[in-house]
Amino acid sequence: MKLTEATKANILFRGDLVKRKDISILVLSNLTVNLFQEAILFQLYTNGFNPDITFGDYNAIVTDSKKAKDYDVVIVIWDLSNLIEFLPFKLSRMDNEEINKVQQQIFSQFDIVFENLNRASLAIVTEFSTVPFNNYSITKNAIDHFADILNRELTKRANKSTFLIDIDKIYSTLGSSQSVDYRFYNQFKALHKFDFFYKLSDKVATIINSLNGNIKKVLVLDCDNTLWNGVVGEDDYTGIRLSSNEKEGVPFYLVHEIIHSLYNKGVLLCLNSKNNIKDVEEVFSKREDFKLNSDWFIIKKVNWTDKASNLRDIALELNVGLDSLIFVDDSEYEINLVRKELPFVKCYQVPKKLYTYPELFLELSNEFFNPNLTTEDSNKTKQYIQENKRKNLKSESTNIESYLESLGLKIKYFINEKNHIERISQMTQKTNQFNFTTKRYTTTDIENFMSQESKCVISYSVSDNFGDYGITGLTIIDTEINEIDTFLMSCRIIGRNIEKAIFNILINQFKHNSHSFLLNHIYSKKNLVLEEVVNNLLLTADNKDEIKTTYSISFALMKPFQINYIEIQA
């Protein structure tokens, strides 16, 4: 992406009529970073945001950080070279006493800045790098050690809503010459080229995406020449190459390691391959050097149906949007077909130069960036297997009521449970379908809510005879303004009348509060299912417009729902 291309695209984005999510961003830097604006605008526009970006004054990070709490996101681009003017060139002649004095001066700045950043919903800070002014050193020197100390201090001060970006990885990808412009640095303190800012903005957008629910959930893989080298139907399971002991198998073996890591982080794995299922299963069962387990793949569309149709079925069976899927295939024809038929599915083609295949997989792994890994994430595959057992039971039941009664449902509620903060934050960021307001909150936001007397954060865990769904429901009640700020449930527990059980809990908790609580259904493309839920809860709209519907709920007057098959536990 060139600067001119990004600028032209941004002009078109500003003029189109597509509805995007508003987001306010404050950018602070001790360098001139004007080129960053077009890069981050492009990344956020293409990911469905309508960004309003404010740049702080040049080299005024400390004073401008006081504004952090007024923005959705604060980005700090801090550079070693301008903490003190030309610092990298001065360090080598300083004695230990002088270096220590400079460090303490910088640490004092850190204290002020992070005190302010830690009040923000989300802060993203670049770590310090010595590459631009120390790239030709043969061994680690005083500048490197100084930067290491500063980065450790950044880590100490950052809370869970502050993310540190290692920009050395950008330098290693682009190279110093493609990242740095010394001429503009000397004249205007504009150190970085547009290419650097484009890579940086990609990392920033990945974090913002994840914390706003735009996260990929499912990795769908072809088999032949994707999971292994060769065609199993022709080469037999003995003839394909997939292990570290085979020259042509090494890239695939490394990809398997990355897939295994993604599986451990809760990414759902599926197969979508034109093959005979018997041939594919033989690879899993008979190749002892194949390190992936057949049971990790919760859906196997191994057939001769077109791959776009298979992907539609996978999304339907998992109850996720097509935009939650990533598809990997070696065939240009199949990739182009899916891109044409299903533009919301992100596709990656296996590269012709197979030695670059692991690098491609490392890149696509960022699509599943999950900053707050929880127990629910690591148990996802297990939970979907349990759900298949429930579906089998449902097909054997004569009606929905008898099915729900046979499940043995239990719901347990927790009020301001600090051990659930990460999971609560994650649910606000990832839940789209059953989410009345789709407000996205960081762990800092949830901690703040729990510390306020007027806020009541109630998390809900659900289980049944087949297993534990985990923490899958949330209500945030604001008693000061009498509003249900957040009401959401994981799609895994939809269709079981859990929402009625949650309302019964709220009726019991607030039966002595004579006020009516407002609940807004703020429309999104994905939460239209709530219209049926509202009918199920017998809610009547007070006001309705093109943006939202508002309901007024009096828990003191509301009668509990009769759902004897759900046991409520405090």
Side-chain angles (χ1 to χ4, degrees):
M1 174 64 67
K2 303 292 184 183
L3 173 59
T4 52
E5 294 171 342
T7 303
K8 288 178 182 177
N10 290 337
I11 292 171
L12 294 174
F13 282 129
R14 291 187 190 99
D16 69 26
L17 299 176
V18 176
K19 186 177 180 180
R20 297 184 176 87
K21 179 181 173 62
D22 291 335
I23 187 168
S24 60
I25 298 174
L26 175 64
V27 180
L28 307 177
S29 184
N30 62 341
L31 293 173
T32 301
V33 292
N34 295 349
L35 294 179
F36 181 64
Q37 180 164 358
E38 296 300 337
I40 191 61
L41 279 173
F42 177 80
Q43 294 284 3
L44 293 176
Y45 277 138
T46 54
N47 282 286
F49 293 98
N50 180 36
D52 179 13
I53 300 180
T54 300
F55 280 78
D57 292 336
Y58 165 76
N59 203 12
I61 294 174
V62 175
T63 54
D64 282 350
S65 66
K66 295 174 184 176
K67 306 171 187 174
K69 66 182 186 323
D70 300 325
Y71 292 83
D72 297 321
V73 183
V74 183
I75 302 169
V76 181
I77 303 172
W78 230 331
D79 193 80
L80 184 69
S81 66
N82 214 33
L83 284 170
I84 294 174
E85 192 172 34
F86 302 120
L87 178 62
F89 297 96
K90 296 176 180 178
L91 270 173
S92 58
R93 62 168 176 73
M94 289 183 180
D95 59 30
N96 289 338
E97 185 177 342
E98 289 175 304
I99 290 175
N100 185 60
K101 185 177 179 180
V102 170
Q103 284 177 352
Q104 295 308 312
Q105 178 183 337
I106 295 170
F107 294 165
S108 297
Q109 294 179 18
F110 286 180
D111 290 336
I112 298 170
V113 171
F114 276 90
E115 183 181 353
N116 293 323
L117 292 184
N118 289 341
R119 295 194 188 105
S121 292
L122 171 62
I124 301 170
V125 181
T126 59
E127 292 185 341
F128 294 102
S129 173
T130 65
V131 169
F133 298 100
N134 199 37
N135 208 23
Y136 298 101
S137 175
I138 296 172
T139 59
K140 289 196 82 166
N141 55 24
I143 303 170
D144 294 310
H145 292 301
F146 192 87
D148 289 343
I149 291 169
L150 296 189
N151 286 331
R152 285 196 296 270
E153 293 297 321
L154 291 182
T155 303
K156 285 180 187 177
R157 288 164 171 79
N159 69 5
K160 290 181 179 179
S161 295
T162 300
F163 294 83
L164 304 178
I165 293 182
D166 180 4
I167 60 173
D168 277 344
K169 289 183 171 63
I170 300 177
Y171 288 129
S172 65
T173 301
L174 293 177
S176 179
S177 61
Q178 205 172 333
S179 302
V180 175
D181 191 320
Y182 295 107
R183 179 167 64 95
F184 278 93
Y185 174 74
N186 291 334
Q187 292 179 358
F188 310 110
K189 288 294 187 290
L191 179 62
H192 296 108
K193 295 181 178 180
F194 179 77
D195 288 351
F196 174 90
F197 284 126
Y198 186 76
K199 288 288 186 184
L200 176 61
S201 65
D202 179 58
K203 295 180 183 297
V204 169
T206 297
I207 296 170
I208 294 174
N209 262 334
S210 174
L211 297 179
N212 280 275
N214 301 338
I215 189 172
K216 304 298 182 185
K217 300 175 182 177
V218 187
L219 176 60
V220 185
L221 298 152
D222 178 33
C223 292
D224 294 330
N225 294 310
T226 302
L227 274 183
W228 50 72
N229 188 311
V231 178
V232 68
E234 298 175 2
D235 302 328
D236 192 56
Y237 74 90
T238 58
I240 58 173
R241 283 79 61 197
L242 49 71
S243 77
S244 59
N245 298 322
E246 301 161 308
K247 182 180 178 181
E248 293 176 310
V250 171
F252 297 87
Y253 170 82
L254 295 175
V255 165
H256 299 162
E257 292 289 342
I258 301 168
I259 293 172
H260 192 173
S261 175
L262 291 173
Y263 167 78
N264 288 340
K265 293 175 181 176
V267 174
L268 300 174
L269 304 179
C270 300
L271 294 181
N272 184 8
S273 176
K274 288 181 177 177
N275 248 311
N276 294 316
I277 185 66
K278 178 177 174 292
D279 293 336
V280 171
E281 288 294 359
E282 276 190 327
V283 179
F284 283 99
S285 62
K286 295 184 178 181
R287 283 291 297 259
E288 294 183 359
D289 52 355
F290 188 33
K291 299 305 180 184
L292 300 181
N293 191 317
S294 176
D295 293 339
W296 297 351
F297 294 84
I298 55 175
I299 296 177
K300 300 186 183 78
K301 297 292 182 184
V302 181
N303 51 39
W304 301 99
T305 304
D306 72 272
K307 295 191 176 182
S309 295
N310 279 341
L311 287 167
R312 285 192 191 95
D313 290 343
I314 288 170
L316 189 63
E317 290 178 39
L318 294 177
N319 195 24
V320 299
L322 287 165
D323 57 353
S324 296
L325 273 57
I326 285 190
F327 177 52
V328 184
D329 199 300
D330 67 299
S331 167
E332 186 175 356
Y333 168 79
E334 299 289 1
I335 291 290
N336 288 336
L337 172 69
V338 172
R339 283 175 176 161
K340 180 182 177 183
E341 295 290 321
L342 306 173
F344 290 113
V345 175
K346 185 86 174 274
C347 298
Y348 287 84
Q349 185 178 352
V350 179
K352 302 296 182 188
K353 297 177 180 177
L354 285 177
Y355 61 83
T356 66
Y357 191 23
E359 184 180 358
L360 175 82
F361 242 87
L362 289 172
E363 178 188 343
L364 76 80
S365 295
N366 285 329
E367 302 277 2
F368 300 100
F369 176 74
N370 184 357
N372 300 315
L373 198 63
T374 65
T375 303
E376 282 77 10
D377 291 315
S378 56
N379 289 334
K380 265 187 182 174
T381 299
K382 179 181 176 183
Q383 289 166 346
Y384 274 97
I385 292 171
Q386 292 170 353
E387 185 60 22
N388 284 333
K389 293 178 181 178
R390 293 184 187 100
K391 288 178 180 177
N392 292 335
L393 175 63
K394 186 176 182 179
S395 66
E396 297 169 1
S397 301
T398 55
N399 57 62
I400 187 66
E401 287 298 314
S402 64
Y403 163 66
L404 293 175
E405 288 173 3
S406 66
L407 282 177
L409 286 160
K410 296 177 183 177
I411 182 170
K412 188 173 184 179
Y413 66 94
F414 306 83
I415 299 176
N416 294 333
E417 176 54 65
K418 295 189 183 303
N419 290 329
H420 293 172
I421 286 175
E422 287 193 359
R423 174 58 180 165
I424 289 170
S425 169
Q426 185 188 67
M427 284 194 295
T428 69
Q429 294 156 9
K430 295 174 69 174
T431 306
N432 294 305
Q433 293 182 60
F434 194 122
N435 191 339
F436 273 82
T437 57
T438 58
K439 293 180 180 179
R440 312 301 186 183
Y441 292 126
T442 64
T443 53
T444 300
D445 295 325
I446 302 302
E447 286 172 356
N448 289 337
F449 290 158
M450 288 186 178
S451 67
Q452 298 173 32
E453 285 188 16
S454 62
K455 295 285 200 312
C456 182
V457 181
I458 308 177
S459 49
Y460 306 88
S461 69
V462 179
S463 62
D464 64 18
N465 294 335
F466 290 99
D468 193 346
Y469 296 88
I471 304 299
T472 43
L474 172 69
T475 52
I476 300 175
I477 313 294
D478 190 328
T479 57
E480 183 176 354
I481 60 174
N482 297 313
E483 181 180 37
I484 302 176
D485 174 273
T486 297
F487 179 23
L488 64 81
M489 297 191 328
S490 167
C491 62
R492 296 201 301 274
I493 58 173
I494 293 176
R496 291 159 175 78
N497 282 328
I498 299 299
E499 64 271 18
K500 288 184 175 180
I502 288 176
F503 258 57
N504 283 352
I505 292 167
L506 295 178
I507 289 168
N508 185 59
Q509 288 295 313
F510 297 99
K511 60 187 175 185
H512 300 301
N513 190 318
S514 60
H515 295 95
S516 292
F517 289 83
L518 295 181
L519 173 63
N520 289 313
H521 172 197
I522 301 173
Y523 313 136
S524 74
K525 291 184 294 184
K526 296 184 178 181
N527 70 2
L528 299 180
V529 68
L530 293 176
E531 293 179 8
E532 182 180 339
V533 172
V534 164
N535 293 331
N536 199 28
L537 292 171
L538 307 177
L539 301 181
T540 304
D542 276 16
N543 188 44
K544 187 172 185 178
D545 58 34
E546 61 183 15
I547 299 174
K548 68 180 185 299
T549 301
T550 301
Y551 303 91
S552 181
I553 302 165
S554 175
F555 293 119
L557 299 177
M558 199 171 187
K559 292 182 179 180
F561 294 97
Q562 298 302 309
I563 41 170
N564 298 326
Y565 51 81
I566 302 179
E567 179 185 340
I568 295 176
Q569 302 173 337

